Amino acid sequence: MSAAERATAAHRSRWGDPDFVARAPGRVNLIGEHTDYNEGFTLPMALPFDTAVAFSSDGDQRAGPATIASAGFGEIVIDPNGDPASVASWARHLAGVISLLAEHGVPTGGWRAAVDTDIPTGASLSSSAAIEVAAITALLHRAGVTWEPIDVARLGQRVENEVVGLPSGIMDQFISAGAVEGHASLMDCRHLTLTPAHMPADAVVAVMDTGTRRVLADAAYGDRRAACERVVAELGIASLRDATPATIAAVMDPVDRRRAHHVVTENQRTVDAAAAMGAGDVVELGRLMTESHESLRHDYEVSGPGLDAIVQVAHGAPGCLGARMTGGGFAGCAVALVRADDADRFGRDVVDRYDHDGLRARIWICSPAAGASVLGTA
Ligand code: GLA
């Protein structure tokens, strides 16, 4: 059963039929890591894993409570006029959406929802962005309002930054809201555009779960972002998007210089990767992904032992064209580009040979999915 079907069933058993189901996907980023908050480029795609919100209106749409039953976490009642920071941490993304969307005049009270997901949490597949985007999509739909994906994404990012307290970029929410089925998208995080890029037929994307989960990554994320900001101030430029390897060489602090070197070279790799994808050059695309991993490992220092282990195993597996960590880093999932004909053998081989801390790998061969949408009820 899909997340949407499970959420629908849960809503039915508590409250009867939902009015509709809103869904939003998780994502895997093919290349372009820690570039989004530097006004750079990323190349993510939406995954065929959703978070689903089975929704029905109930009571006063301005002031009435929202009752949310989550498959993983239990039930919570959120006061639309309350402080989102006061709710249990698992529900803060939802409380943030309720609070910030109301600032735009969208009624955010008076509803009930059952929430379920296919996206593992802490696995670098953007489960947080998916719940934000799914909830925004649901509340806009009820209000009869349509927003552009970038506006949905911006609100989700504000929830993350202002309510959850993570200074993340726009990538996760933007791809969850705006992805096009069958395509990855080159995201320009300065001009806030998505340009769909067709996945060549002879390669597939393998998402590889190390079984490790993120701990303490939030402090490290802020630390890396601060390093980028220091370099921008030192060089007197608008953002690292405007830097080159030559300008970066002048940065005084050696650690900050390495951080900036990653961002500058990663931006170029990402633009090159989109071009390689457009030209159907899967060998070049894979090579760039592998180079990205090395840069994240040495210059940005956001990889982790499980991620390095699975990337190394992937390189020795049949049909591997390239492999890298994906998302914020430290733990969770990695991604590989694999020759389509070898996909099954690749998956079996990685599962057989990956061995980190007694954990087992899980592999999903994924086609790019569509961005958030509203489904009727079954
Ligand atoms: C997390 C953040 C994104 C992005 C990535 C790293 O997923 O939410 O905004 O910065 O890390 O590329």
Side-chain angles (χ1 to χ4, degrees):
M1 272 215 292
S2 68
E5 288 164 341
R6 290 195 308 276
T8 303
H11 189 289
R12 258 189 205 132
S13 74
R14 276 186 181 71
W15 304 302
D17 281 344
D19 300 342
F20 59 85
V21 180
R23 55 156 286 277
R27 64 100 188 92
V28 67
N29 189 20
L30 300 180
I31 193 165
E33 221 65 84
H34 291 278
T35 48
D36 61 349
Y37 52 82
N38 288 300
E39 298 192 350
F41 297 94
T42 77
L43 188 61
M45 63 177 231
L47 291 173
F49 305 151
D50 284 338
T51 290
V53 175
F55 185 103
S56 61
S57 284
D58 177 47
D60 179 348
Q61 296 201 3
R62 295 274 166 195
T67 305
I68 294 146
S70 154
F73 298 97
E75 197 164 305
I76 195 164
V77 177
I78 299 177
D79 172 0
N81 299 309
D83 175 7
S86 69
V87 307
S89 61
W90 71 263
R92 230 162 264 168
H93 302 90
L94 289 163
V97 166
I98 289 172
S99 161
L100 296 185
L101 198 53
E103 291 176 7
H104 293 264
V106 176
T108 60
W111 52 289
R112 301 173 298 207
V115 176
D116 209 328
T117 189
D118 301 319
I119 310 168
T121 46
S124 283
L125 301 180
S126 286
S127 59
S128 316
I131 182 64
E132 290 154 7
V133 170
I136 296 166
T137 302
L139 287 164
L140 291 175
H141 181 74
R142 179 180 69 169
V145 183
T146 308
W147 280 12
E148 292 298 323
I150 184 58
D151 296 322
V152 172
R154 274 200 178 111
L155 193 88
Q157 186 193 13
R158 278 190 62 203
V159 170
E160 206 69 54
N161 297 170
E162 296 170 27
V163 179
V164 179
L166 187 74
S168 53
I170 194 78
M171 168 170 71
D172 304 346
Q173 291 83 1
F174 198 10
I175 194 66
S176 184
V180 175
E181 194 174 358
H183 299 72
S185 290
L186 179 65
M187 186 182 296
D188 178 333
C189 299
R190 168 170 278 171
H191 299 110
L192 300 175
T193 55
L194 281 179
T195 307
H198 201 69
M199 188 64 76
D202 50 345
V204 292
V205 170
V207 174
M208 309 185 289
D209 188 356
T210 62
T212 59
R213 290 293 176 263
R214 214 168 50 204
V215 266
L216 295 178
D218 297 4
Y221 190 95
D223 169 87
R224 298 306 186 276
R225 200 171 169 157
C228 296
E229 281 159 12
R230 277 195 300 275
V231 171
V232 162
E234 184 180 339
L235 297 179
I237 52 180
S239 82
L240 282 180
R241 161 83 167 250
D242 302 316
T244 64
T247 49
I248 289 302
V251 172
M252 299 296 284
D253 182 82
V255 175
D256 284 358
R257 195 187 315 135
R258 272 194 288 129
R259 305 291 188 246
H261 185 261
H262 163 72
V263 175
V264 170
T265 56
E266 184 79 349
N267 270 332
Q268 188 60 52
R269 277 189 290 275
T270 306
V271 171
D272 293 348
M277 199 181 256
D281 188 347
V282 293
V283 171
E284 176 65 358
L285 178 57
R287 188 189 71 74
L288 290 161
M289 288 170 68
T290 297
E291 217 175 272
S292 164
H293 183 78
E294 289 308 306
S295 177
L296 287 155
R297 190 153 89 99
H298 294 295
D299 284 348
Y300 222 60
E301 292 181 283
V302 291
S303 190
L307 292 168
D308 289 341
I310 211 161
V311 163
Q312 199 185 348
V313 167
H315 280 304
C320 184
L321 293 158
R324 60 184 288 277
M325 55 155 276
T326 188
F330 301 101
C333 291
V335 60
L337 189 71
V338 181
R339 289 199 187 280
D341 293 343
D342 290 319
D344 291 344
R345 288 199 308 140
F346 172 89
R348 277 198 302 274
D349 194 56
V350 172
V351 169
D352 281 352
R353 288 191 301 111
Y354 172 76
D355 177 18
H356 172 75
D357 250 359
L359 296 165
R360 300 273 296 165
R362 286 187 297 175
I363 310 290
W364 299 283
I365 304 294
C366 297
S367 304
S373 61
V374 172
L375 315 168
T377 54

